[in-house]
């Protein structure tokens, strides 16, 4: 499994766009990049997944450069409810016998 | 789709007692995972089932831990002779067996406090 590196914490003001970058230098050809969000005392919640270029859904965008050695989760116009821990994971899309490996994530704090 | 359900949500037990957690995955999800999470850390993989078969166990899963998924639906995680170090949130997750774009769905977790 490719190891990921992301900032331990970030602060942002309400209404701003927040970009969280994850480094995964050893990503393999078959690996997908997945981001999860976790609120205190709750299980992680899937946000977005991508393989290359850009993926957008109703809550976030995921930007992946051509070399795929990093990815950026973009949260538009954050609100206080976006305060959470965000995890970047890399692994094969068909998880098969592979388990997700979480790091310590990025603790995002939104300031009013 | 009612999501992954875990029970109980909270459990306080005395050291040395046995505890059992139950997980009901999303229906028709044939893969089921157990994770453990302590404060300030990300979830750590414990074990994984494909239908009723337990295919992988982490070294974190000592011999005091046992997980079952007898009919390939719900799963139980039992901890025998609990120790204070077992205090954590135990997360269950499930997913379909699809070739691409698998998304793993987590339950709300079961908090264990060993006193």
């Amino acid at each position: 499994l490719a190891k990921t590196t992301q900032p331990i914490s970030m602060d942002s003001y309400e209404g701003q766009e927040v970009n969280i970058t994850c480094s995964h230098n050893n990503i393999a050809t078959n690996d997908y990049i997945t981001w999860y969000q976790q609120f205190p005392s709750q299980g992680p919640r899937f946000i977005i997944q991508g393989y290359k270029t850009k993926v957008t859904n109703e809550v976030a965008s995921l930007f992946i450069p051509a070399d795929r050695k990093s990815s950026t989760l973009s949260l538009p116009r954050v609100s206080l409810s976006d305060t959470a821990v965000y995890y970047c994971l890399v692994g094969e899309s068909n998880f098969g016998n592979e388990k997700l490996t979480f790091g310590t994530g990025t603790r995002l704090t939104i300031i009013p | 789709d009612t999501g992954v359900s875990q029970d109980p949500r909270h459990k306080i037990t005395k050291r040395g007692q046995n505890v059992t957690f139950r997980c009901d995955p999303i229906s028709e999800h044939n893969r089921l995972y157990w994770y453990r999470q302590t404060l300030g850390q990300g979830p750590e993989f414990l074990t994984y089932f494909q239908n009723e078969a337990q295919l992988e166990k982490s070294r974190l899963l000592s011999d005091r831990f046992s997980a079952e998924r007898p009919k390939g639906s719900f799963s139980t995680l039992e901890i025998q002779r609990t120790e204070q170090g077992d205090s954590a949130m135990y997360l269950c997750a499930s997913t379909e067996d699809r070739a691409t774009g698998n998304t793993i769905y987590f339950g709300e977790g079961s908090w264990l406090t060993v006193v």
Side-chain angles (χ1 to χ4, degrees), chain A residues 30 64 82:
Chain A
N30 294 332
I64 305 168
D82 292 315

Side-chain angles (χ1 to χ4, degrees), chain B residues 6 13 26 34 36 48 92:
Chain B
Q6 294 190 243
T13 190
I26 294 172
W34 285 100
R36 180 174 71 185
Y48 149 71
C92 179

Side-chain angles (χ1 to χ4, degrees), chain B residues 45-107:
Chain B
F45 170 81
L46 291 179
T47 190
Y48 149 71
F49 289 85
Q50 174 90 12
N51 299 310
E52 66 274 11
Q54 188 174 18
L55 297 186
E56 187 171 351
K57 293 195 295 184
S58 162
R59 286 175 295 177
L60 294 174
L61 214 64
S62 75
D63 56 5
R64 295 185 298 104
F65 288 70
S66 63
E68 295 182 343
R69 194 182 183 197
K71 296 182 180 180
S73 57
F74 73 92
S75 175
T76 58
L77 176 68
E78 181 183 18
I79 309 174
Q80 296 182 327
R81 304 181 303 281
T82 53
E83 301 173 356
Q84 287 187 322
D86 297 331
S87 295
M89 180 166 66
Y90 291 85
L91 289 160
C92 179
S94 70
T95 189
E96 297 177 274
D97 181 9
R98 292 188 293 125
T100 60
N102 277 344
T103 299
I104 294 184
Y105 297 89
F106 285 83

Side-chain angles (χ1 to χ4, degrees), chain B residues 26-44:
Chain B
I26 294 172
S27 61
E28 300 182 357
H29 278 192
N30 55 3
R31 297 183 186 176
L32 185 147
Y33 303 78
W34 285 100
Y35 284 77
R36 180 174 71 185
Q37 186 174 24
T38 54
L39 286 175
Q41 301 298 313
E44 298 172 293

Side-chain angles (χ1 to χ4, degrees), chain A residues 63-103:
Chain A
F63 297 93
I64 305 168
D67 67 5
R68 304 198 331 118
K69 293 184 182 300
S70 67
S71 59
T72 299
L73 174 72
S74 181
L75 304 173
R77 298 179 299 282
V78 293
S79 63
L80 294 177
S81 63
D82 292 315
T83 294
V85 178
Y86 292 82
Y87 295 98
C88 165
L89 294 90
V90 173
E92 291 189 20
S93 62
N94 180 5
F95 286 105
N97 290 331
E98 184 174 349
K99 64 276 187 183
L100 292 178
T101 300
F102 289 81

